[in-house]
Amino acid sequence: MSGSAPWQAWRTLIVLCAGSFAILMDTTIVNVAVPDLSAGLGAGLDGVLWINNVYQLVFGVLLITMSRLADRFGARTLFLTGLAVFGLASVLCGLAPDVPSLVVARAVQGVGAAMISPQPLVIIAAVFPDDRRGTALGFYNSVLGLAAVLGPVVGGLLVTHVGWRWIFFVNAPITVLGILFGSRYLPAVRPRRRSRLDTAGAALVTLGLACLMFGLIEGERYRWGAVAGGPLTIPEVLLAGGVLLVAFVLWERHRREADPLLPLALFTDRGITLLVVLTGVVQFVLLGLLLVLTFDLQSVLGLSATEAGLTTMPLMAVLTVVAPLAGRLSARMGGRAVLVAGFLVYAGGLVALALVAARGAGPAGFVLPLACCGSGMACLLAPLVTEALRRTPPGMTAALAGCLSTSRQIGAALGGVVVGAVLASLLVAGMRGHAETSAAGLSPGDRAAFLTEVHRSAGAVPQPGTGPFQARLHEVFALGYADAARTVLVLLAVLLVLGAVCCVVVLRRARAVPVPVNAPARAPS
């Protein structure tokens, strides 16, 4: 396979999956430890939130720069160095005596994760030929999906039985094994000509993405107003990010012939631009779906975190099984048909979930709709990458990897912010509407007291108690949430249908592109 025997290529893929597994699991594993982190370090909510947010922030803003460093130092070198940085930072996280130390260590973890994340695509593209690349990418994405599911489960077990510090210590043996096997089995993928790092471009894109990601991640906490009571507001931070990113694009156009950080020629093919955007859309929808499900299962149905996690298992279980098959199919028959089918099946699953939420079904009612969503998602993850690679000159693979990874991070951040805001707004309106109906049979005094209570707590989850209106409040909340969830899920389904339409209209046959002089060459493993 591109100079490698088939078993050597698959051995390489297994090493890449093992190394990347720790990163994605770490993205979700920390969430379950928030109460223990707060108690163990004596931290307030703001400090605990930054323990998770700083990792996401640093990870997201460095992806483009780290992907281009692969063109200078080689994807293998960046991958192994990233594993070392990530593993060492994980140990420091586990040993952290206080919140500031843990926040700094988490930031270093984000640096290591950013070094690792774009490299598997570059290496997979080099060692697998076109007819097997889709299967390999499908397998890779299914492993990452499994990591996302196992994160909360493993985190819960570790926190319960050995303490929160082990959610970080567990990364150490994984990264050590990744370095040992990676040093032996990963091929050296590097360009024929080493490019110089565009430092000005790196500074502009890093600062621009930092402002954008900070605004999206922290906006809700600061209620979209002043940041920590200072002179800057969240909208000003977002505007600064947009200005810096525009300046970055203008600078890259100026450096078109002089090793730009992001070759804008990559986006002269409208198909690549669309595929990068759709990669973010898929993450947007996934985060929105998980947000809706989490509240529905835990706050409406009253399931525990473990029960809710088990209820969502069909989503990732089907994704894990179907993704390699979808990747193989896209490699054989082209990505457009598979992508269109994936978007439509995913949209159908969301509509089915909307119907389930509206009827107030129990956990068993979610199985088939979530399996449908998992099937649709499986037809998107690998084919999006496979189709983008098919259109990309070899010398721009690292740049494509950085763009795809960054699009995922921004899509995930936007999904949490936008879907959360829409859901909250619809929930408040729905609760107030159902409260009027529910209060119709009450005496005038009780009716006024009940409506006052609903208006005071609209949008909040009713807390357990024995008040006179407790059962009625929970009923109003459940009905209002069902209406809000149904609307949000249908809107997400419409977004996916638009994605299918865009694939039909834009994704024609990939145009022929010349191979640049700095196209990557693989040294013997």
Side-chain angles (χ1 to χ4, degrees):
M1 294 184 171
S2 296
S4 296
W7 66 272
Q8 291 175 324
W10 286 102
R11 184 176 61 188
T12 296
L13 180 63
I14 291 172
V15 174
L16 294 173
C17 288
S20 300
F21 187 90
I23 298 173
L24 194 57
M25 190 170 70
D26 203 73
T27 303
T28 57
I29 198 172
V30 175
N31 293 330
V32 299
V34 166
D36 293 81
L37 281 168
S38 180
L41 296 175
L45 180 60
D46 282 357
V48 173
L49 288 175
W50 259 103
I51 291 170
N52 194 43
N53 289 350
V54 72
Y55 174 81
Q56 301 286 351
L57 180 64
V58 174
F59 182 22
V61 304
L62 292 178
L63 284 166
I64 289 178
T65 300
M66 292 302 179
S67 69
R68 292 298 283 159
L69 283 176
D71 282 339
R72 182 169 180 81
F73 300 107
R76 177 179 182 269
T77 300
L78 264 291
F79 187 84
L80 296 177
T81 304
L83 282 176
V85 172
F86 187 84
L88 177 61
S90 297
V91 173
L92 294 176
C93 286
L95 297 174
D98 50 39
V99 171
S101 301
L102 183 51
V103 168
V104 172
R106 286 284 283 167
V108 178
Q109 259 193 326
V111 175
M115 296 175 75
I116 296 168
S117 185
Q119 314 316 327
L121 176 56
V122 178
I123 297 174
I124 290 171
V127 300
F128 283 91
D130 290 346
D131 62 336
R132 294 186 181 270
R133 191 177 296 152
T135 307
L137 288 168
F139 181 80
Y140 178 77
N141 280 289
S142 69
V143 169
L144 297 189
L146 183 63
V149 173
L150 288 180
V153 177
V154 173
L157 291 173
L158 291 173
V159 169
T160 301
H161 296 290
V162 292
W164 66 264
R165 295 183 185 274
W166 280 92
I167 66 174
F168 300 113
F169 287 145
V170 73
N171 292 327
I174 297 176
T175 53
V176 168
L177 290 174
I179 292 170
L180 291 175
F181 285 100
S183 300
R184 183 171 182 181
Y185 296 125
L186 289 184
V189 180
R190 50 166 104 69
R192 293 191 179 96
R193 180 176 67 85
R194 289 191 175 187
S195 59
R196 294 174 296 173
L197 179 64
D198 175 10
T199 53
L204 286 171
V205 74
T206 300
L207 289 173
L209 288 173
C211 291
L212 181 63
M213 294 292 290
F214 178 88
L216 293 175
I217 292 172
E218 297 293 304
E220 185 65 29
R221 183 153 68 103
Y222 292 118
R223 298 185 179 276
W224 305 99
V227 178
L232 285 178
T233 65
I234 291 294
E236 289 170 345
V237 172
L238 291 172
L239 178 61
V243 171
L244 287 167
L245 291 176
V246 170
F248 167 69
V249 172
L250 295 176
W251 172 257
E252 295 303 289
R253 290 184 64 184
H254 171 70
R255 286 183 57 89
R256 187 176 301 172
E257 305 298 331
D259 290 330
L261 185 74
L262 182 61
L264 297 182
L266 180 66
F267 300 103
T268 56
D269 183 340
R270 290 187 305 163
I272 292 178
T273 303
L274 175 66
L275 292 163
V276 170
V277 171
L278 290 179
T279 297
V281 168
V282 170
Q283 283 299 111
F284 179 96
V285 173
L286 174 60
L287 265 291
L289 168 61
L290 293 178
L291 182 63
V292 171
L293 278 177
T294 298
F295 274 95
D296 197 0
L297 295 174
Q298 296 188 46
S299 299
V300 177
L301 297 182
L303 302 183
S304 67
T306 301
E307 291 170 333
L310 291 174
T311 302
T312 59
M313 282 295 290
L315 175 71
M316 291 303 176
V318 172
L319 170 64
T320 302
V321 173
V322 176
L325 303 177
R328 184 176 183 181
L329 189 63
S330 68
R332 289 190 171 184
M333 60 180 293
R336 187 172 76 156
V338 179
L339 286 171
V340 171
F343 277 116
L344 295 179
V345 171
Y346 198 173
L350 291 179
V351 172
L353 275 175
L355 295 175
V356 168
R359 293 170 182 169
F366 289 86
V367 173
L368 289 179
L370 284 176
C372 186
C373 289
S375 298
M377 199 186 311
C379 293
L380 299 177
L381 297 180
L384 282 169
V385 180
T386 304
E387 187 66 20
L389 281 173
R390 185 178 288 124
R391 296 166 173 268
T392 302
M396 296 184 184
T397 303
L400 174 69
C403 290
L404 292 173
S405 297
T406 303
S407 181
R408 290 189 196 99
Q409 288 299 108
I410 294 175
L414 280 171
V417 171
V418 176
V419 174
V422 173
L423 188 63
S425 177
L426 292 173
L427 175 58
V428 169
M431 285 184 67
R432 289 174 176 170
H434 285 289
E436 294 287 346
T437 304
S438 179
L442 296 175
S443 65
D446 285 345
R447 183 176 185 276
F450 174 66
L451 292 178
T452 299
E453 181 66 19
V454 170
H455 280 262
R456 185 186 65 81
S457 62
V461 180
Q463 298 301 311
T466 57
F469 305 122
Q470 199 64 32
R472 200 178 291 264
L473 274 173
H474 190 276
E475 180 187 17
V476 167
F477 173 81
L479 291 172
Y481 188 82
D483 292 344
R486 181 173 63 250
T487 302
V488 168
L489 290 171
V490 170
L491 289 175
L492 292 176
V494 170
L495 184 60
L496 291 174
V497 172
L498 289 176
V501 173
C502 289
C503 288
V504 171
V505 173
V506 177
L507 294 185
R508 307 295 180 180
R509 176 179 292 184
R511 62 177 176 79
V513 288
V515 178
V517 295
N518 61 336
R522 187 175 64 82
S525 56

